[in-house]
Amino acid sequence: MKTIIAACSQNLSGSRASIQAALRTLLAVPWPSQRDIRSWLQLLSVLQWVLSFLLLGTVSLVVLIYLLFTSFWPISVLYLAWIIFDWDTPEKGGRRLPCLHRWSVWRHFRDYFPVKLVKTHDLSPSHNYIIGCHPHGILCIGAFCNFITGSTGFNEMFPGIRSFLTTLAGNFRLPIFREYLMSGGLCPVTRRAIGYLLSQNGSGNAVAIVIGGAAESLSCRPGITTLILKNRKGFVRMALRHGAHLVPSFSFGENDLFRQVVFEEGSWMRSIQQRFQKMMGFAPCVFYGRGLTSDQSWGFLPFARPITTVVGEPVMVPMIRNPSRETVDKYHELYIRSLVKIFNENKTKYGLQETDKLHIL
């Protein structure tokens, strides 16, 4: 009996020693700090956004076509019927989901860069506005974060103002992707869609338009600020027809998020890019960012560089149903002056040199 008890005691003490040794080994492994966890969440939030914008539409289209040749074909047929029925919704204010606007993922998205919104003047809810967004950059990250996600406090800074962001109309023809865009408050950059928001949706609407568009993305590079604006006057004419005030905004740091291979004007590669842009509405840029593993690796994620979007003073615009060319030119010039003023007054605060200039083409 004593022998059995002694053997059991020896086994128990051995087991206890093994458990203690295992715990010591486990505790010796470094656990991720709170800072590491925040960094991972920020990286994942940006990853999901980039993948959504680059792949969601194309992948959804391929899947729906594939399903047509399987026993799940009714899914594709029903969704096609839904798109036909819902065809005009993007141009009638879309279908914003407040829960997506307040999604906590956008806070991590904001903090990755980080993105900041700076207010210089009030916007009255009794008027409608067209906010010009500059520069385009590669993926318009500053405009998206500030005017769509709400994570930078747009609603608190401008109470009573509902912000919308316009993008290529072709994006709203892609299955699933169109629902994703509308749920966030994006609309097609068409006269009909913008006109609806400025005339049929009450007051207090701010329609953000990236004026330079795809053509401007071809000139996107760190340290150089070139805007395609001199001959872009359609947004001014639209503002005059609806009496919407013009508000310039500039995102400092937008051009620092990616590195792009810029082909010189007149080169055959530049010609291919420009022809593709005219046919498809967007430009095939050759760019790269950071990878998933580190800031030193190459990949398609943007570099973590601060973006500061400054919203300037509104240019008061009267309602003129059929504005003359002279009137359009007058308010276009006033808009450019206000934009240049924002740039010159804030460039040294947000990473640029006093000698840096705004090049408007």
Side-chain angles (χ1 to χ4, degrees), residues 64 74-83 174-176 178-179:
L64 286 175
I75 296 176
S76 297
V77 172
L78 287 173
Y79 187 75
L80 177 61
W82 163 252
I83 288 182
L174 294 172
I176 308 301
R178 70 190 294 274
E179 319 299 341

Side-chain angles (χ1 to χ4, degrees), residues 187-322:
C187 297
V189 60
T190 61
R191 292 181 181 179
R192 184 183 178 191
I194 297 170
Y196 180 92
L197 292 171
L198 297 178
S199 63
Q200 305 295 321
N201 203 42
S203 61
N205 300 291
V207 183
I209 305 174
V210 185
I211 308 296
E216 193 171 278
S217 66
L218 295 177
S219 302
C220 167
R221 67 179 91 176
I224 298 177
T225 307
T226 301
L227 304 183
I228 307 297
L229 179 59
K230 189 174 292 185
N231 296 317
R232 298 291 175 99
K233 301 178 182 179
F235 72 103
V236 179
R237 186 173 287 105
M238 182 69 71
L240 285 163
R241 286 175 177 171
H242 298 283
H245 299 334
L246 291 168
V247 183
S249 71
F250 195 93
S251 293
F252 294 91
E254 183 74 45
N255 285 348
D256 298 330
L257 304 181
F258 293 95
R259 301 290 181 268
Q260 181 180 187
V261 179
V262 178
F263 301 101
E264 297 300 325
E265 288 289 345
S267 64
W268 65 274
M269 279 298 297
R270 185 73 166 206
S271 299
I272 291 175
Q273 287 178 314
Q274 291 172 340
R275 289 177 184 175
F276 191 93
Q277 174 213 327
K278 289 179 180 179
M279 289 188 298
M280 304 299 294
F282 65 94
C285 302
V286 181
F287 67 92
Y288 67 92
R290 60 157 291 177
L292 280 172
T293 55
S294 73
D295 199 33
Q296 306 303 317
S297 60
W298 285 22
F300 56 88
L301 292 178
F303 293 108
R305 304 287 186 268
I307 306 172
T308 304
T309 301
V310 181
V311 179
E313 181 179 3
V315 176
M316 304 303 178
V317 175
M319 181 182 289
I320 304 175
R321 291 298 183 186
N322 295 297

Side-chain angles (χ1 to χ4, degrees), residues 82-99:
W82 163 252
I83 288 182
I84 294 172
F85 173 78
D86 197 52
W87 190 260
D88 289 334
T89 299
E91 296 193 328
K92 293 183 177 180
R95 191 168 39 245
R96 173 177 285 173
L97 296 179
C99 60

Side-chain angles (χ1 to χ4, degrees), residues 2 45 49 51 119 134 152 188 191 246 276 288 312 324:
K2 289 180 180 181
S45 68
W49 183 82
L51 290 178
K119 169 185 173 180
H134 310 273
T152 55
R191 292 181 181 179
L246 291 168
F276 191 93
Y288 67 92
S324 64

